[in-house]
Amino acid sequence: MIELRTPAEIEEMRPAGRFVASVLEATSKAAAVGVNLLELDALAHEMIRTAGAESCYIDYHPSFGASPFGKVICTSVNDAVLHGLPHDYALEDGDLLSLDFAASVNGWVADSAVSIVVGTPREEDLRLIETTERALAAGIAAARPGNRIGDISRAIADVAKAEGYSINTDFGGHGVGRTMHGDPHIPNNGRHGRGLPLKPGLVVAIEPWFLQTTDRIFTDPDGWTLRSVDGSRGAHSEHTVAITDGEPLVLTRRD
């Protein structure tokens, strides 16, 4: 079911957005050569406890997950692009790391993701990350009354295709509110003028993610982590956005 939020409810969602942004800022800053993925998860877990927030991930068990997730942040490294389950791995120089985090504060959820390079970057990794960020900005710009879901999707796809990246539509953006995942689904490819009309009060997570040389993925033996079939690297950018009568409101904007 698609729910529209009142202006007052959107204001109530701001603390969740600020908290999610702060966790991604802290974990991105902490990610360095030699740092273990489990340390990043522990940092996020401690920030949740300190803030009195609730994890959206630790007990999360959708049909595509092998078991409850059991951690509080997704850490996808190199050829992993989504749902990366934190495990005993020390980050190495040049790793491409995507961090995806969602939490509930006072009963409202926000969801966001960022990709970074640890240590010495590769030019092709920086280009991939920058493309996901530009695609996210394009999708956000299209998130306004009078447009439709397809306009967000097409704006994302236009950026990806201009850079030569193919697009997987199995996973994409989604509604956000009292729970992490809700309607509508927002694929990262679509057609202008198609799909649900966008109205003020709709709150969604917009999340382009691309792989360097494929759009095909498989599930790691851990039952969660999604990897490219050809070993190419992936990047992921995401914000929670409220559609208003004016400009889109990015609730998870990082300083």
Side-chain angles (χ1 to χ4, degrees):
M1 182 176 68
I2 295 170
E3 298 183 80
L4 300 180
R5 306 300 176 185
T6 66
E9 287 176 324
I10 291 173
E11 285 299 310
E12 292 174 0
M13 295 183 76
R14 284 183 183 270
R18 288 194 295 267
F19 175 67
V20 166
S22 71
V23 171
L24 287 179
E25 287 173 341
T27 50
S28 295
K29 184 176 181 180
V33 176
V35 172
N36 197 292
L37 298 181
L38 295 176
E39 294 179 75
L40 298 179
D41 183 71
L43 172 58
H45 210 149
E46 179 58 31
M47 292 182 73
I48 289 171
R49 284 193 293 266
T50 300
E54 294 183 13
S55 171
C56 291
Y57 289 167
I58 197 161
D59 294 322
Y60 186 52
H61 190 188
S63 59
F64 57 81
S67 60
F69 191 72
K71 305 295 181 184
V72 300
I73 192 169
C74 294
T75 55
S76 303
V77 180
N78 296 332
D79 65 321
V81 65
L82 295 175
H83 308 163
L85 185 64
H87 58 284
D88 185 12
Y89 174 79
L91 290 165
E92 299 180 357
D93 187 48
D95 277 346
L96 197 169
L97 171 66
S98 296
L99 297 165
D100 188 358
F101 181 72
S104 175
V105 177
N106 299 325
W108 293 105
V109 171
D111 189 4
S112 187
V114 63
S115 292
I116 62 172
V117 175
V118 177
T120 309
R122 301 181 185 182
E123 185 61 35
E124 60 267 30
D125 290 345
L126 296 178
R127 174 174 167 260
L128 181 64
I129 292 170
E130 191 267 342
T131 301
T132 67
E133 292 173 346
R134 281 195 294 113
L136 176 58
I140 292 170
R144 57 185 68 242
N147 283 348
R148 291 175 176 264
I149 290 293
D151 295 302
I152 297 175
S153 300
R154 188 64 194 183
I156 291 169
D158 284 347
V159 174
K161 291 178 179 179
E163 294 296 330
Y165 298 122
S166 57
I167 301 166
N168 179 296
T169 55
D170 292 341
F171 296 91
H174 50 88
V176 180
R178 293 293 188 182
T179 60
M180 177 171 59
H181 287 145
D183 294 327
H185 173 63
I186 306 175
N188 288 324
N189 196 2
R191 297 175 64 183
H192 289 303
R194 297 295 183 93
L196 178 80
L198 303 178
K199 297 180 180 180
L202 181 65
V203 182
V204 294
I206 300 173
E207 52 177 316
W209 60 275
F210 311 130
L211 298 160
Q212 287 171 335
T213 58
T214 186
D215 58 15
R216 296 174 58 213
I217 54 177
F218 72 96
T219 304
D220 187 269
D222 67 16
W224 275 99
T225 304
L226 297 179
R227 299 184 181 275
S228 65
V229 297
D230 64 357
S232 62
R233 297 184 175 207
H236 178 199
S237 295
E238 177 182 17
H239 274 310
T240 295
V241 181
I243 296 170
T244 74
D245 289 317
E247 294 294 313
L249 176 62
V250 180
L251 294 169
T252 50
R253 188 180 301 280
R254 296 179 294 276
D255 293 334

